[in-house]
Structures are given as structure tokens and as C-alpha cells.
Amino acid sequence: MDLFISLIALIILLPVLVIIALLVKINFGGAVIFKQARPGLNGKIFTIYKFRTMSDAKDEHGEWLPDSERLTRFGRLLRSTSLDELPELINILVGDMSIVGPRPLLVEYLPLYNDHQSRRHQSRPGLTGFAQVNGRNTIGWEEKFNLDVQYIDNISFVGDLKIIFLTVKKVFVREGINSETYATVEKFKGSSKGSIGL
């Protein structure tokens, strides 16, 4: 199902992908695709693909400027419509991701998870997920991880269809894109090894 949907979506959306790629090139120059290592099924590392939404702006010391300053108006538009996520269809096509599953987070978070949170890697990461239709970036990390594990414990075809439907709805109303205090999302700093945040 993942293979079929991603292949059909890539074919249908090819003109959209080309247009977005051109706009990204015009707005940012340089590379069009943002690539980053992310943990997938069982923590196996893969390279995720997204359209760039941030500039390469640095300070006088050569350090990256804060996300709030690098995230341009055009980048915010891509994020709010989730169009920056479309290249992840390639990740789904090659088997690194699924349409639905816990979102792939940063590799640096791996040693910070407790046993409960680590269970989110028992399925392939998804283009969308249960946490994304229940708050996305407006909920805390503990709640987000609990939703991820809840999804894994209750995976079903009907459940995935419901998540896909709710995702489309939330994309159109642009809910939960950013946290209230951060331009993108606050970094996870770890929690008690024995805590499951319930």
C-alpha cells in the first residue's frame, strides 16, 4: 500500500514538485532539498528528504542564526501547507518510511529516550502520524511520545485511513504547525528513564 500510494502520488504531484523546487531555488539558491539523518524502524539510520524552508544565514562568527531568523516567509508558507514534506514520498517509495507512523525525529534524541519512548521505533516512521493529528507541534514531547506508542499498540488499516483523512483536514486549516514559543519546535532534552509521562 505504501509503495503504491507513494508511486502514484509522485507521478500525480510531479508538476507541483517541479514548481516548488524552482521556487525554493529562486528564494534560497543553492541546494533545493534538505537532507538529514533520521532514525527509522528499529532505530536504523536513513536520510530524510524535504524541501528547504530556511536560509543559510550565519552570524559574524560563522554560526547558524536562530531558526526564527532563518525561517523565511516563503519557508513558513511551505511548512504551514506541509508542502516541504512532499520529497518524503521518495523515502516511502524506497521503504525507509510509511504513509502513517511516528514522525522521524533527530538522531541525537536516541540516547535520551526511556524504554517506553523508544518503542516509537517499532514501526517505520510516517509522513504523518497519530501525534500529528492530535496536536502536532503544539503538544509536549511526553504527550507526543505517548501518542506514538498508542498508535503502535493499535495499528490498523482503518486507523491509518482515519489518520490520513484527519491529516488532509488539518493541512487545509493549518493547525499545529509551530509551537507557541518556538519558530519550529522546541528540542527534546530527555525525561526520566522510568517515566512514561502518563
Side-chain angles (χ1 to χ4, degrees), residues 28 34-36 52 54-71 187:
F28 298 121
F34 168 78
K35 302 177 184 179
Q36 190 175 55
R52 283 180 59 200
M54 294 188 185
S55 71
D56 290 328
K58 298 181 180 180
D59 60 22
E60 63 272 16
H61 303 294
E63 300 292 333
W64 295 111
L65 291 176
D67 287 354
S68 58
E69 296 182 40
R70 296 171 55 216
L71 185 60
K187 280 198 171 187

PDB file of all heavy atoms in Angstrom, residues 28 34-36 52 54-71 187:
ATOM      1  N   PHE A  28      16.096  30.650  -2.119  1.00  0.00           N
ATOM      2  CA  PHE A  28      17.246  30.344  -1.266  1.00  0.00           C
ATOM      3  C   PHE A  28      18.552  30.177  -2.021  1.00  0.00           C
ATOM      4  O   PHE A  28      19.623  30.324  -1.441  1.00  0.00           O
ATOM      5  CB  PHE A  28      16.969  29.059  -0.464  1.00  0.00           C
ATOM      6  CG  PHE A  28      15.796  29.151   0.456  1.00  0.00           C
ATOM      7  CD1 PHE A  28      14.728  28.276   0.325  1.00  0.00           C
ATOM      8  CD2 PHE A  28      15.734  30.102   1.456  1.00  0.00           C
ATOM      9  CE1 PHE A  28      13.640  28.343   1.173  1.00  0.00           C
ATOM     10  CE2 PHE A  28      14.655  30.186   2.318  1.00  0.00           C
ATOM     11  CZ  PHE A  28      13.603  29.307   2.167  1.00  0.00           C
ATOM     12  N   PHE A  34      16.595  19.553   1.419  1.00  0.00           N
ATOM     13  CA  PHE A  34      17.220  19.455   2.739  1.00  0.00           C
ATOM     14  C   PHE A  34      17.356  17.971   3.064  1.00  0.00           C
ATOM     15  O   PHE A  34      16.375  17.225   3.004  1.00  0.00           O
ATOM     16  CB  PHE A  34      16.349  20.157   3.779  1.00  0.00           C
ATOM     17  CG  PHE A  34      16.748  19.890   5.203  1.00  0.00           C
ATOM     18  CD1 PHE A  34      17.838  20.540   5.761  1.00  0.00           C
ATOM     19  CD2 PHE A  34      16.022  19.005   5.993  1.00  0.00           C
ATOM     20  CE1 PHE A  34      18.208  20.308   7.087  1.00  0.00           C
ATOM     21  CE2 PHE A  34      16.381  18.760   7.308  1.00  0.00           C
ATOM     22  CZ  PHE A  34      17.476  19.418   7.853  1.00  0.00           C
ATOM     23  N   LYS A  35      18.575  17.528   3.385  1.00  0.00           N
ATOM     24  CA  LYS A  35      18.825  16.135   3.720  1.00  0.00           C
ATOM     25  C   LYS A  35      19.336  16.040   5.150  1.00  0.00           C
ATOM     26  O   LYS A  35      20.163  16.846   5.582  1.00  0.00           O
ATOM     27  CB  LYS A  35      19.869  15.530   2.774  1.00  0.00           C
ATOM     28  CG  LYS A  35      19.506  15.578   1.300  1.00  0.00           C
ATOM     29  CD  LYS A  35      20.645  15.015   0.456  1.00  0.00           C
ATOM     30  CE  LYS A  35      20.363  15.129  -1.025  1.00  0.00           C
ATOM     31  NZ  LYS A  35      21.485  14.595  -1.839  1.00  0.00           N
ATOM     32  N   GLN A  36      18.841  15.044   5.869  1.00  0.00           N
ATOM     33  CA  GLN A  36      19.286  14.877   7.257  1.00  0.00           C
ATOM     34  C   GLN A  36      19.129  13.426   7.687  1.00  0.00           C
ATOM     35  O   GLN A  36      18.179  12.752   7.291  1.00  0.00           O
ATOM     36  CB  GLN A  36      18.478  15.778   8.191  1.00  0.00           C
ATOM     37  CG  GLN A  36      19.016  15.857   9.607  1.00  0.00           C
ATOM     38  CD  GLN A  36      18.242  16.850  10.447  1.00  0.00           C
ATOM     39  OE1 GLN A  36      17.025  16.753  10.548  1.00  0.00           O
ATOM     40  NE2 GLN A  36      18.939  17.813  11.040  1.00  0.00           N
ATOM     41  N   ARG A  52      13.838  22.636   1.263  1.00  0.00           N
ATOM     42  CA  ARG A  52      14.412  23.609   2.190  1.00  0.00           C
ATOM     43  C   ARG A  52      13.386  24.683   2.560  1.00  0.00           C
ATOM     44  O   ARG A  52      12.628  25.143   1.715  1.00  0.00           O
ATOM     45  CB  ARG A  52      15.628  24.299   1.566  1.00  0.00           C
ATOM     46  CG  ARG A  52      16.878  23.449   1.560  1.00  0.00           C
ATOM     47  CD  ARG A  52      18.024  24.213   0.934  1.00  0.00           C
ATOM     48  NE  ARG A  52      18.324  25.453   1.639  1.00  0.00           N
ATOM     49  CZ  ARG A  52      19.000  26.473   1.099  1.00  0.00           C
ATOM     50  NH1 ARG A  52      19.424  26.396  -0.149  1.00  0.00           N
ATOM     51  NH2 ARG A  52      19.248  27.546   1.800  1.00  0.00           N
ATOM     52  N   MET A  54      14.589  27.055   5.146  1.00  0.00           N
ATOM     53  CA  MET A  54      15.403  28.035   5.860  1.00  0.00           C
ATOM     54  C   MET A  54      16.571  28.515   5.004  1.00  0.00           C
ATOM     55  O   MET A  54      17.086  27.771   4.164  1.00  0.00           O
ATOM     56  CB  MET A  54      15.947  27.445   7.164  1.00  0.00           C
ATOM     57  CG  MET A  54      14.901  27.136   8.196  1.00  0.00           C
ATOM     58  SD  MET A  54      15.668  26.675   9.771  1.00  0.00           S
ATOM     59  CE  MET A  54      14.220  26.228  10.722  1.00  0.00           C
ATOM     60  N   SER A  55      16.977  29.729   5.262  1.00  0.00           N
ATOM     61  CA  SER A  55      18.138  30.289   4.575  1.00  0.00           C
ATOM     62  C   SER A  55      19.415  29.767   5.233  1.00  0.00           C
ATOM     63  O   SER A  55      19.366  29.127   6.285  1.00  0.00           O
ATOM     64  CB  SER A  55      18.107  31.818   4.656  1.00  0.00           C
ATOM     65  OG  SER A  55      18.382  32.254   5.982  1.00  0.00           O
ATOM     66  N   ASP A  56      20.562  30.049   4.633  1.00  0.00           N
ATOM     67  CA  ASP A  56      21.856  29.638   5.183  1.00  0.00           C
ATOM     68  C   ASP A  56      22.515  30.766   5.977  1.00  0.00           C
ATOM     69  O   ASP A  56      23.736  30.778   6.146  1.00  0.00           O
ATOM     70  CB  ASP A  56      22.794  29.198   4.052  1.00  0.00           C
ATOM     71  CG  ASP A  56      22.362  27.888   3.420  1.00  0.00           C
ATOM     72  OD1 ASP A  56      21.807  27.048   4.141  1.00  0.00           O
ATOM     73  OD2 ASP A  56      22.571  27.706   2.204  1.00  0.00           O
ATOM     74  N   ALA A  57      21.701  31.705   6.459  1.00  0.00           N
ATOM     75  CA  ALA A  57      22.231  32.888   7.141  1.00  0.00           C
ATOM     76  C   ALA A  57      23.018  32.518   8.405  1.00  0.00           C
ATOM     77  O   ALA A  57      22.565  31.706   9.218  1.00  0.00           O
ATOM     78  CB  ALA A  57      21.098  33.835   7.488  1.00  0.00           C
ATOM     79  N   LYS A  58      24.216  33.111   8.546  1.00  0.00           N
ATOM     80  CA  LYS A  58      25.058  32.894   9.722  1.00  0.00           C
ATOM     81  C   LYS A  58      25.476  34.232  10.320  1.00  0.00           C
ATOM     82  O   LYS A  58      25.412  35.273   9.657  1.00  0.00           O
ATOM     83  CB  LYS A  58      26.304  32.085   9.332  1.00  0.00           C
ATOM     84  CG  LYS A  58      25.995  30.684   8.804  1.00  0.00           C
ATOM     85  CD  LYS A  58      27.273  29.934   8.461  1.00  0.00           C
ATOM     86  CE  LYS A  58      26.966  28.534   7.942  1.00  0.00           C
ATOM     87  NZ  LYS A  58      28.191  27.788   7.602  1.00  0.00           N
ATOM     88  N   ASP A  59      25.922  34.194  11.577  1.00  0.00           N
ATOM     89  CA  ASP A  59      26.370  35.426  12.222  1.00  0.00           C
ATOM     90  C   ASP A  59      27.821  35.701  11.867  1.00  0.00           C
ATOM     91  O   ASP A  59      28.434  34.988  11.059  1.00  0.00           O
ATOM     92  CB  ASP A  59      26.169  35.357  13.743  1.00  0.00           C
ATOM     93  CG  ASP A  59      26.955  34.210  14.385  1.00  0.00           C
ATOM     94  OD1 ASP A  59      27.948  33.740  13.772  1.00  0.00           O
ATOM     95  OD2 ASP A  59      26.590  33.790  15.492  1.00  0.00           O
ATOM     96  N   GLU A  60      28.393  36.728  12.485  1.00  0.00           N
ATOM     97  CA  GLU A  60      29.759  37.126  12.158  1.00  0.00           C
ATOM     98  C   GLU A  60      30.804  36.091  12.567  1.00  0.00           C
ATOM     99  O   GLU A  60      31.950  36.138  12.125  1.00  0.00           O
ATOM    100  CB  GLU A  60      30.082  38.474  12.825  1.00  0.00           C
ATOM    101  CG  GLU A  60      30.055  38.472  14.348  1.00  0.00           C
ATOM    102  CD  GLU A  60      28.674  38.748  14.905  1.00  0.00           C
ATOM    103  OE1 GLU A  60      27.690  38.649  14.147  1.00  0.00           O
ATOM    104  OE2 GLU A  60      28.580  39.072  16.114  1.00  0.00           O
ATOM    105  N   HIS A  61      30.392  35.119  13.424  1.00  0.00           N
ATOM    106  CA  HIS A  61      31.309  34.072  13.866  1.00  0.00           C
ATOM    107  C   HIS A  61      31.140  32.791  13.052  1.00  0.00           C
ATOM    108  O   HIS A  61      31.767  31.775  13.357  1.00  0.00           O
ATOM    109  CB  HIS A  61      31.080  33.769  15.354  1.00  0.00           C
ATOM    110  CG  HIS A  61      31.215  34.963  16.244  1.00  0.00           C
ATOM    111  ND1 HIS A  61      32.421  35.613  16.428  1.00  0.00           N
ATOM    112  CD2 HIS A  61      30.292  35.647  16.980  1.00  0.00           C
ATOM    113  CE1 HIS A  61      32.238  36.637  17.259  1.00  0.00           C
ATOM    114  NE2 HIS A  61      30.958  36.673  17.601  1.00  0.00           N
ATOM    115  N   GLY A  62      30.291  32.859  12.045  1.00  0.00           N
ATOM    116  CA  GLY A  62      30.073  31.687  11.207  1.00  0.00           C
ATOM    117  C   GLY A  62      29.099  30.682  11.781  1.00  0.00           C
ATOM    118  O   GLY A  62      28.977  29.562  11.280  1.00  0.00           O
ATOM    119  N   GLU A  63      28.374  31.061  12.845  1.00  0.00           N
ATOM    120  CA  GLU A  63      27.386  30.175  13.466  1.00  0.00           C
ATOM    121  C   GLU A  63      26.013  30.421  12.856  1.00  0.00           C
ATOM    122  O   GLU A  63      25.679  31.537  12.478  1.00  0.00           O
ATOM    123  CB  GLU A  63      27.333  30.425  14.982  1.00  0.00           C
ATOM    124  CG  GLU A  63      28.654  30.187  15.706  1.00  0.00           C
ATOM    125  CD  GLU A  63      29.044  28.727  15.721  1.00  0.00           C
ATOM    126  OE1 GLU A  63      28.140  27.862  15.666  1.00  0.00           O
ATOM    127  OE2 GLU A  63      30.262  28.437  15.763  1.00  0.00           O
ATOM    128  N   TRP A  64      25.193  29.344  12.793  1.00  0.00           N
ATOM    129  CA  TRP A  64      23.852  29.494  12.250  1.00  0.00           C
ATOM    130  C   TRP A  64      23.036  30.468  13.086  1.00  0.00           C
ATOM    131  O   TRP A  64      23.100  30.448  14.317  1.00  0.00           O
ATOM    132  CB  TRP A  64      23.117  28.141  12.235  1.00  0.00           C
ATOM    133  CG  TRP A  64      23.702  27.104  11.316  1.00  0.00           C
ATOM    134  CD1 TRP A  64      24.341  25.963  11.692  1.00  0.00           C
ATOM    135  CD2 TRP A  64      23.698  27.117   9.882  1.00  0.00           C
ATOM    136  NE1 TRP A  64      24.750  25.266  10.582  1.00  0.00           N
ATOM    137  CE2 TRP A  64      24.363  25.940   9.460  1.00  0.00           C
ATOM    138  CE3 TRP A  64      23.196  28.003   8.930  1.00  0.00           C
ATOM    139  CZ2 TRP A  64      24.541  25.626   8.115  1.00  0.00           C
ATOM    140  CZ3 TRP A  64      23.376  27.689   7.592  1.00  0.00           C
ATOM    141  CH2 TRP A  64      24.033  26.524   7.189  1.00  0.00           C
ATOM    142  N   LEU A  65      22.271  31.318  12.432  1.00  0.00           N
ATOM    143  CA  LEU A  65      21.355  32.196  13.140  1.00  0.00           C
ATOM    144  C   LEU A  65      20.194  31.361  13.687  1.00  0.00           C
ATOM    145  O   LEU A  65      19.953  30.245  13.216  1.00  0.00           O
ATOM    146  CB  LEU A  65      20.820  33.273  12.193  1.00  0.00           C
ATOM    147  CG  LEU A  65      21.830  34.331  11.723  1.00  0.00           C
ATOM    148  CD1 LEU A  65      21.172  35.279  10.715  1.00  0.00           C
ATOM    149  CD2 LEU A  65      22.369  35.117  12.910  1.00  0.00           C
ATOM    150  N   PRO A  66      19.440  31.872  14.673  1.00  0.00           N
ATOM    151  CA  PRO A  66      18.300  31.122  15.218  1.00  0.00           C
ATOM    152  C   PRO A  66      17.283  30.781  14.123  1.00  0.00           C
ATOM    153  O   PRO A  66      17.174  31.490  13.117  1.00  0.00           O
ATOM    154  CB  PRO A  66      17.699  32.099  16.244  1.00  0.00           C
ATOM    155  CG  PRO A  66      18.832  33.001  16.614  1.00  0.00           C
ATOM    156  CD  PRO A  66      19.649  33.161  15.371  1.00  0.00           C
ATOM    157  N   ASP A  67      16.538  29.700  14.342  1.00  0.00           N
ATOM    158  CA  ASP A  67      15.536  29.275  13.363  1.00  0.00           C
ATOM    159  C   ASP A  67      14.565  30.396  13.018  1.00  0.00           C
ATOM    160  O   ASP A  67      14.143  30.539  11.871  1.00  0.00           O
ATOM    161  CB  ASP A  67      14.739  28.082  13.904  1.00  0.00           C
ATOM    162  CG  ASP A  67      15.559  26.801  13.912  1.00  0.00           C
ATOM    163  OD1 ASP A  67      16.695  26.825  13.399  1.00  0.00           O
ATOM    164  OD2 ASP A  67      15.057  25.785  14.421  1.00  0.00           O
ATOM    165  N   SER A  68      14.206  31.205  14.030  1.00  0.00           N
ATOM    166  CA  SER A  68      13.238  32.280  13.813  1.00  0.00           C
ATOM    167  C   SER A  68      13.732  33.306  12.797  1.00  0.00           C
ATOM    168  O   SER A  68      12.929  33.961  12.122  1.00  0.00           O
ATOM    169  CB  SER A  68      12.924  32.987  15.143  1.00  0.00           C
ATOM    170  OG  SER A  68      14.121  33.511  15.717  1.00  0.00           O
ATOM    171  N   GLU A  69      15.055  33.438  12.664  1.00  0.00           N
ATOM    172  CA  GLU A  69      15.622  34.397  11.709  1.00  0.00           C
ATOM    173  C   GLU A  69      15.912  33.750  10.359  1.00  0.00           C
ATOM    174  O   GLU A  69      15.923  34.421   9.330  1.00  0.00           O
ATOM    175  CB  GLU A  69      16.919  34.996  12.281  1.00  0.00           C
ATOM    176  CG  GLU A  69      16.694  35.827  13.548  1.00  0.00           C
ATOM    177  CD  GLU A  69      17.977  36.451  14.058  1.00  0.00           C
ATOM    178  OE1 GLU A  69      18.783  36.915  13.211  1.00  0.00           O
ATOM    179  OE2 GLU A  69      18.190  36.463  15.286  1.00  0.00           O
ATOM    180  N   ARG A  70      16.141  32.452  10.342  1.00  0.00           N
ATOM    181  CA  ARG A  70      16.436  31.745   9.092  1.00  0.00           C
ATOM    182  C   ARG A  70      15.176  31.266   8.378  1.00  0.00           C
ATOM    183  O   ARG A  70      15.183  31.015   7.184  1.00  0.00           O
ATOM    184  CB  ARG A  70      17.347  30.547   9.374  1.00  0.00           C
ATOM    185  CG  ARG A  70      18.722  30.934   9.899  1.00  0.00           C
ATOM    186  CD  ARG A  70      19.492  29.713  10.357  1.00  0.00           C
ATOM    187  NE  ARG A  70      19.576  28.726   9.300  1.00  0.00           N
ATOM    188  CZ  ARG A  70      19.540  27.421   9.498  1.00  0.00           C
ATOM    189  NH1 ARG A  70      19.399  26.933  10.724  1.00  0.00           N
ATOM    190  NH2 ARG A  70      19.643  26.589   8.475  1.00  0.00           N
ATOM    191  N   LEU A  71      14.084  31.121   9.148  1.00  0.00           N
ATOM    192  CA  LEU A  71      12.826  30.671   8.563  1.00  0.00           C
ATOM    193  C   LEU A  71      12.146  31.851   7.885  1.00  0.00           C
ATOM    194  O   LEU A  71      11.620  32.744   8.533  1.00  0.00           O
ATOM    195  CB  LEU A  71      11.918  30.085   9.646  1.00  0.00           C
ATOM    196  CG  LEU A  71      10.603  29.446   9.190  1.00  0.00           C
ATOM    197  CD1 LEU A  71      10.874  28.288   8.240  1.00  0.00           C
ATOM    198  CD2 LEU A  71       9.796  28.970  10.391  1.00  0.00           C
ATOM    199  N   LYS A 187      13.456  21.681  21.187  1.00  0.00           N
ATOM    200  CA  LYS A 187      14.224  20.432  21.170  1.00  0.00           C
ATOM    201  C   LYS A 187      13.883  19.571  22.389  1.00  0.00           C
ATOM    202  O   LYS A 187      13.632  20.063  23.478  1.00  0.00           O
ATOM    203  CB  LYS A 187      15.731  20.729  21.151  1.00  0.00           C
ATOM    204  CG  LYS A 187      16.267  21.083  19.769  1.00  0.00           C
ATOM    205  CD  LYS A 187      17.774  20.926  19.711  1.00  0.00           C
ATOM    206  CE  LYS A 187      18.289  21.053  18.292  1.00  0.00           C
ATOM    207  NZ  LYS A 187      19.730  20.740  18.180  1.00  0.00           N
TER     208      LYS A 187
END
